[in-house]
Every structure is written in C-alpha cells, then in structure tokens.
C-alpha cells in the first residue's frame, strides 16, 4: 500500500500512518517538543538513520510533522509535530495506560 492510498477504515489508516514501532516512538519523543535529527536518534537507540528519515518524511507528507531548515553554518533542521500530530498525545496515553494493565508473564506473581 502506498502513502497516497490510505485505507477507508480508521484503524487501518492509523496503522498505515504509524506503521512499525519506531513511528509511534518518534511521535512520543516529538510530543516533548521540537527535536533535531541527531536528538531523535539519540533518544531512540537502535533506530537506523534510514528508518528515522523514512518515517519523518512520511509524517511530513501527511501533515503530522513539520521540518524547518535554518540557513546557518552548519545547517540546522528541526522536526516538530503539527496540531494534527499533537492529537496523537491522547492516543499514546491511552495505549500506554492499556499496556500497563497487561500482566508481565515474567514478573513474580504471588497468589
């Protein structure tokens, strides 16, 4: 499925736009405010530059993130959530709260 053809179903559309674990984690970091590319990479250990670039470009195409380039030496690029992207805050909060209700099978359970 390409970015230009989003599903009609809201859940499928959400999963298409935030595909993979990195997408959600990038949004989580940007909810704290604007970040430079290197700041995002440092906040997300294990993400490849290619994956980060790909997700940020997809977010930019869909109006979730803005990319601002400052004409400085060296050039500075800052990524920031748009109001549409900031709307994901409630979604991530609910996802996180739900996830914390799932028992950890590795935790010591006393009866």
């Amino acid at each position: 499925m390409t970015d230009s053809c989003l599903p009609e179903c809201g859940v499928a559309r959400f999963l298409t736009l935030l595909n993979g674990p990195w997408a959600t984690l990038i949004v989580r970091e940007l909810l704290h405010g604007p970040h430079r590319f290197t700041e995002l990479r440092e906040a997300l250990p294990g993400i490849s530059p290619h994956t980060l670039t790909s997700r940020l470009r997809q977010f930019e195409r869909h109006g979730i993130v803005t990319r601002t380039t400052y004409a400085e030496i060296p050039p500075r690029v800052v990524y920031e959530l748009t109001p549409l992207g900031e709307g994901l805050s409630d979604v991530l909060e609910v996802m996180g709260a739900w996830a914390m209700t799932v028992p950890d099978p590795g935790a010591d359970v006393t009866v």
Side-chain angles (χ1 to χ4, degrees), residues 45-85:
I47 193 169
S48 72
H50 173 78
T51 298
L52 180 55
T53 298
S54 173
R55 297 301 182 265
L56 289 169
R57 286 180 181 160
Q58 179 186 21
F59 289 165
E60 191 176 5
R61 280 192 304 274
H62 289 287
I64 296 168
V65 165
T66 58
R67 178 182 188 270
T68 305
T69 305
Y70 295 91
E72 301 172 351
I73 306 286
R76 179 170 53 111
V77 177
V78 175
Y79 296 91
E80 185 172 9
L81 290 175
T82 64
L84 178 65

Side-chain angles (χ1 to χ4, degrees), residues 29 35 42 59 84 89-90 105 107 109:
E29 292 305 315
H35 282 66
E42 290 170 4
F59 289 165
L84 178 65
S89 176
D90 293 340
V109 180

